[in-house]
Amino acid sequence: MTTCIPAGSGNLHYSVAPCRGQGYRKTSWVSGVAFNRCIQKELLWSCGVSKFLQTQRCNYSKSPFSENWKSLRTVTSSCLREGSTKYFDFAVIGSGVAGLRYALEVAKHGSVAVITKAEPHESNTNYAQGGVSAVLCPSDSVESHVHDTIVAGAYLCDEETVRIVCTEGPDRIRELIAMGASFDHGEDGNLHLAREGGHSHRRIVHAADMTGREIERALLEAVVYDPNICVFEHHFAIDLLTCQDGSDTVCLGVDTMNTETQEVIRFISKVTLLASGGVGHIYPSTTNPPVATGDGMAIAHRAQAVISNMEFVQFHPTALADEGLPVKPSKSRENAFLITEAVRGDGGILYNLSMERFMPLYDDRAELAPRDVVARSIDDQLKKRNEKYVLLDISHKPRKKILSHFPNIAAECLQHGLDITCQPIPVVPAAHYMCGGVRAGLQGETNVRGLYVAGEVACTGLHGANRLASNSLLEALVFARRAVQPSIDHMKSSKHDLGTSNWWSRPVVPFSLGSEAMDKILLMTRKVRRELQSIMWEYVGIVRSTTRLQFAEQKIGELEAKWEEYLFQLGWEPTMVGLEACEMRNLFCCAKLVVSSALARHESRGLHYTIDFPNLEESKRLPTVIFPGSSVKGSWSSRQLHKQPL
């Protein structure tokens, strides 16, 4: 059963994530799930939990990395060991900024496996356009950055976390520069600092409008030459390998599937870092790359990790609206093309299709309001006017400045017949970032021993109810670095037992089903995926209501049951694995976490806006926390494939 703590009815003092800071109030760090009906019925996605918790009851062009790819493959192949089990000191799941930055540090102390679902550069980091926020200007201050972050986060941020990230951020930027990352400089030779929505100062370090790509390039280049790091590309993380040590859950590695060879590979590690990114593809339109199917959040939830604040899905207000382009793309995009926040920061103005500026009607900060405000304002305009998109105009700025600051956006639009130096850009909101995730302490630790988290998969308390622009790469850098020392300490106190690998039964690739059955399963899975995304957009989108959330919960449960029944009728077994089926499993798991968390919050705060509770409630300024339940029963998305060893 999913354990829930009614807001204001009691507090659970939880050792991994103690109460900190004014943002969460003194007694609210692990409190705040507020729906009593969860105690009355078993939710499909429930799974086991330690005895302690049970008792509480409460469009990317050619890869810029291709030149180095041969050497990276050579490093990778030299690390491969015979057999389907591999032993490492550290396993890193994900190859974005958090995973790679962490890997480069812990590699000084042991062997590291970087496990990535596609090519190493295919991550949310690589698609980040805007930049990294940090206090690097004399007129700026840490206090100002802290204030902006907490205001944007609707006062749900953990103040201690915010202060740590804002204080340590500048050093993390300097480390990137020392590693070879190249950021834009002004005519005075200093770093060019941009300003984005919600920021009171210019503090965004950037590389034109391709900042994430530049950071990823620098980190991957360093990884290529590190002999202690082995990169395993096209390895999909299926489930974490966990066992019980008294009341503690312990992580000892991860099962993966090589999606090119269809071989199951087991990684046994002393420490595991989850840095697997977000869950954008629970929605039909997202700026996230195709790999962002919530795998890390789902496998952590199934492994009994505490999950928090999943109702806070950030919709970026300005993704490119293909319908408004003079020349439509020849095929639908796998992910929406992002129009960075920096366009508005540089003076871009939002208009409806009648060329009426509308943002001042909604907020005094106009186009520089935080993302949740801008996204809701656009959504309101679209619904009132029955239109498909709005217009973002930067053409009143000098042509040279536009092309130098936004070359990638300019090139993409020009490819479809639109010149942003003299024409407005058609934009529409799209799912962009998950502010919730796996609950993390100040060093990236979770309630599962040996499991650390960093990046979008984590919920550190930094973002609160809404992420401030360009704080995501910053958080990833800071927490990847903070997780290093406790990881090293844990690694040194742990030992590899070569027999450990045999503690769990192995997942099975369903070769035995035959091609006809597999084709049917794939077709059904793709259809179900589209249906789930449609439900999430229609009923769990930018503006919500209790009735619509309850309807979504019901429809998702029915859809999942129908899909699983279809699979099992065709011979699929719970221990079987395939890329698209396992992604679907994770999408279901995360979608249900989002819906349950949204139903729990009886107020409108930040990214969660519900017409039934339209106001902020001070008494509900608490994080939403989901503990896994103790029931053995549940859907396929709820349970680990293997049974935990005794």
Side-chain angles (χ1 to χ4, degrees):
M1 178 179 285
T2 302
T3 59
C4 310
I5 307 170
S9 68
N11 299 291
L12 175 62
H13 298 283
Y14 186 60
S15 59
V16 171
C19 313
R20 306 191 298 270
Q22 295 175 6
Y24 270 105
R25 303 160 62 88
K26 290 185 177 179
T27 57
S28 63
W29 186 250
V30 185
S31 175
V33 176
F35 56 118
N36 293 326
R37 56 186 180 72
C38 69
I39 301 173
Q40 298 164 7
K41 67 173 184 176
E42 177 185 294
L43 294 185
L44 282 175
W45 45 268
S46 59
C47 62
V49 70
S50 70
K51 290 179 181 177
F52 169 75
L53 292 179
Q54 286 177 35
T55 61
Q56 303 308 314
R57 273 300 171 211
C58 299
N59 278 324
Y60 189 57
S61 58
K62 276 192 175 179
S63 166
F65 312 110
S66 55
E67 293 178 8
N68 289 328
W69 209 225
K70 193 170 182 181
S71 59
L72 183 55
R73 288 180 188 276
T74 303
V75 172
T76 302
S77 60
S78 69
C79 293
L80 294 174
R81 305 169 198 191
E82 294 299 322
S84 57
T85 301
K86 306 188 185 302
Y87 296 83
F88 285 86
D89 293 315
F90 304 93
V92 178
I93 302 171
S95 59
V97 60
L100 296 181
R101 189 67 192 90
Y102 173 90
L104 287 165
E105 290 300 319
V106 296
K108 299 170 185 176
H109 302 271
S111 58
V112 184
V114 173
I115 300 161
T116 185
K117 189 172 173 179
E119 280 89 20
H121 63 78
E122 187 68 2
S123 64
N124 278 359
T125 296
N126 199 49
Y127 288 78
Q129 294 180 355
V132 191
S133 59
V135 176
L136 294 165
C137 175
S139 63
D140 197 2
S141 68
V142 169
E143 274 313 313
S144 177
H145 194 181
V146 167
H147 176 264
D148 292 347
T149 299
I150 291 174
V151 170
Y155 297 91
L156 197 67
C157 308
D158 176 62
E159 188 173 339
E160 186 177 3
T161 299
V162 175
R163 195 166 296 281
I164 284 170
V165 171
C166 295
T167 301
E168 296 181 5
D171 284 343
R172 302 291 83 84
I173 298 292
R174 294 181 187 104
E175 288 170 357
L176 284 178
I177 293 171
M179 292 173 66
S182 178
F183 299 113
D184 288 2
H185 288 69
E187 293 178 0
D188 59 0
N190 294 320
L191 284 169
H192 181 271
L193 302 175
R195 184 182 175 193
E196 296 180 349
H199 288 275
S200 57
H201 290 76
R202 288 185 168 271
R203 62 168 70 102
I204 315 301
V205 180
H206 62 99
D209 58 352
M210 296 171 282
T211 308
R213 192 181 301 186
E214 171 58 18
I215 293 172
E216 187 81 358
R217 180 205 62 76
L219 292 174
L220 275 174
E221 197 166 283
V223 165
V224 166
Y225 296 107
D226 195 312
N228 276 354
I229 300 176
C230 303
V231 178
F232 294 86
E233 61 178 15
H234 299 290
H235 279 60
F236 174 81
I238 300 165
D239 264 324
L240 296 171
L241 299 170
T242 58
C243 66
Q244 292 299 124
D245 180 10
S247 63
D248 291 343
T249 302
V250 184
C251 180
L252 297 172
V254 61
D255 271 338
T256 72
M257 183 178 70
N258 183 325
T259 55
E260 291 194 323
T261 66
Q262 302 300 303
E263 182 185 8
V264 172
I265 307 295
R266 176 161 287 174
F267 290 85
I268 301 296
S269 58
K270 297 174 183 176
V271 176
T272 302
L273 176 83
L274 263 183
S276 52
V279 66
H281 283 272
I282 58 174
Y283 291 96
S285 179
T286 176
T287 60
N288 293 181
V291 294
T293 53
D295 307 323
M297 296 167 194
I299 65 176
H301 176 65
R302 290 194 290 265
Q304 304 180 15
V306 175
I307 306 293
S308 188
N309 287 355
M310 291 290 283
E311 68 269 38
F312 298 120
V313 181
Q314 187 174 79
F315 291 86
H316 198 289
T318 55
L320 186 62
D322 290 342
E323 287 183 90
L325 292 170
V327 179
K328 308 294 186 291
S330 57
K331 59 180 182 178
S332 60
R333 302 176 192 266
E334 288 185 311
N335 52 289
F337 185 84
L338 177 68
I339 305 298
T340 174
E341 191 96 10
V343 173
R344 284 182 286 120
D346 258 17
I349 297 173
L350 284 164
Y351 297 97
N352 58 33
L353 296 191
S354 297
M355 290 307 291
E356 298 166 342
R357 186 183 184 189
F358 59 84
M359 276 310 301
L361 302 175
Y362 295 94
D363 195 282
D364 291 341
R365 293 164 291 186
E367 281 79 9
L368 290 178
R371 288 176 179 177
D372 60 322
V373 176
V374 180
R376 275 197 304 277
S377 303
I378 293 173
D379 183 69
D380 186 57
Q381 284 285 306
L382 297 181
K383 287 173 178 173
K384 282 180 177 176
R385 299 173 57 84
N386 194 29
E387 293 172 346
K388 300 287 187 180
Y389 55 88
V390 297
L391 300 170
L392 176 60
D393 190 18
I394 190 72
S395 64
H396 51 281
K397 294 292 181 179
R399 176 184 175 85
K400 184 178 179 182
K401 181 179 179 181
I402 294 170
L403 294 178
S404 65
H405 285 190
F406 311 112
N408 193 39
I409 293 172
E412 178 66 25
C413 289
L414 199 59
Q415 189 178 333
H416 298 287
L418 190 142
D419 183 350
I420 69 170
T421 66
C422 57
Q423 295 171 280
I425 307 166
V427 293
V428 67
H432 182 59
Y433 189 87
M434 170 55 77
C435 291
V438 184
R439 202 77 188 110
L442 287 175
Q443 294 180 303
E445 73 275 21
T446 71
N447 63 303
V448 177
R449 200 164 21 141
L451 179 66
Y452 295 81
V453 289
E456 190 173 351
V457 71
C459 181
T460 65
L462 174 69
H463 306 308
N466 177 42
R467 176 173 70 83
L468 181 64
S470 290
N471 266 4
S472 54
L473 292 177
L474 175 70
E475 179 195 42
L477 287 166
V478 169
F479 273 87
R481 194 66 183 81
R482 290 184 71 82
V484 168
Q485 192 54 54
S487 296
I488 294 166
D489 294 342
H490 186 84
M491 183 274 293
K492 289 180 177 178
S493 66
S494 305
K495 293 182 180 179
H496 273 322
D497 180 347
L498 295 181
T500 301
S501 180
N502 299 320
W503 289 2
W504 307 268
S505 58
R506 288 180 181 267
V508 178
V509 178
F511 296 121
S512 60
L513 295 187
S515 60
E516 185 179 349
M518 284 306 301
D519 287 345
K520 288 180 179 178
I521 286 171
L522 284 175
L523 284 172
M524 173 58 91
T525 299
R526 289 166 187 170
K527 178 175 179 288
V528 166
R529 180 166 170 159
R530 290 192 296 271
E531 288 182 37
L532 175 68
Q533 291 170 331
S534 178
I535 291 168
M536 291 298 291
W537 178 248
E538 290 295 325
Y539 302 103
V540 200
I542 296 171
V543 177
R544 302 163 178 174
S545 74
T546 301
T547 301
R548 294 170 74 80
L549 289 171
Q550 289 171 340
F551 183 77
E553 183 178 53
Q554 176 191 335
K555 296 299 289 183
I556 291 169
E558 292 171 355
L559 183 65
E560 181 182 31
K562 181 180 79 171
W563 175 67
E564 289 189 9
E565 182 182 4
Y566 184 84
L567 263 62
F568 296 142
Q569 282 177 349
L570 288 173
W572 192 275
E573 296 180 7
T575 55
M576 287 182 172
V577 293
L579 175 60
E580 292 191 48
C582 285
E583 281 187 332
M584 191 70 246
R585 175 179 179 235
N586 294 337
L587 288 167
F588 269 124
C589 182
C590 290
K592 289 184 291 187
L593 289 170
V594 171
V595 173
S596 297
S597 298
L599 279 166
R601 185 165 292 281
H602 293 175
E603 64 163 352
S604 288
R605 186 178 294 274
L607 298 163
H608 174 71
Y609 183 84
T610 170
I611 60 175
D612 295 305
F613 305 98
N615 301 314
L616 279 172
E617 297 286 345
E618 178 61 21
S619 64
K620 300 185 186 300
R621 185 158 63 92
L622 307 164
T624 306
V625 177
I626 295 181
F627 295 107
S630 58
S631 175
V632 175
K633 296 181 181 179
S635 69
W636 191 45
S637 75
S638 319
R639 304 185 307 266
Q640 291 179 316
L641 298 188
H642 53 263
K643 292 182 179 179
Q644 282 201 4
L646 298 175

